[in-house]
Amino acid sequence: MCLAIPARVVELLPKLRAVVDLAGVRKEVSIDLVDDAQVDDYVIIHVGYAIGKIDPEEAQRTLALFAELAQTEGQA
């Protein structure tokens, strides 16, 4: 099983690298597989690689579900 999460591209770096933001956490990732990614695009991240782009609305729905799960987990 793998887990991939949506994150927003906030900065493009040389050599097909980018900085993404996920709820205030910023991380440098590879965009080798999504070389057309631009700032403000949402990409799916898996183990440090952007593996595809995602529609912003779908990204927001997915992030909201993750937040809901985290809140539910905190109540258990």
Side-chain angles (χ1 to χ4, degrees), residues 9-64:
V9 176
V10 294
E11 182 181 354
L12 296 174
L13 302 172
K15 299 184 180 184
L16 293 174
R17 307 288 294 172
V19 176
V20 296
D21 179 276
L22 176 61
V25 176
R26 292 187 175 206
K27 178 170 177 57
E28 185 177 324
V29 299
S30 170
I31 55 170
D32 283 326
L33 302 174
V34 191
D35 59 358
D36 64 336
Q38 298 295 314
V39 171
D40 289 330
D41 282 348
Y42 279 86
V43 292
I44 298 293
I45 304 296
H46 176 66
V47 293
Y49 287 86
I51 59 173
K53 288 200 287 187
I54 186 172
D55 177 84
E57 291 174 4
E58 182 65 26
Q60 291 301 323
R61 284 192 297 269
T62 302
L63 292 170

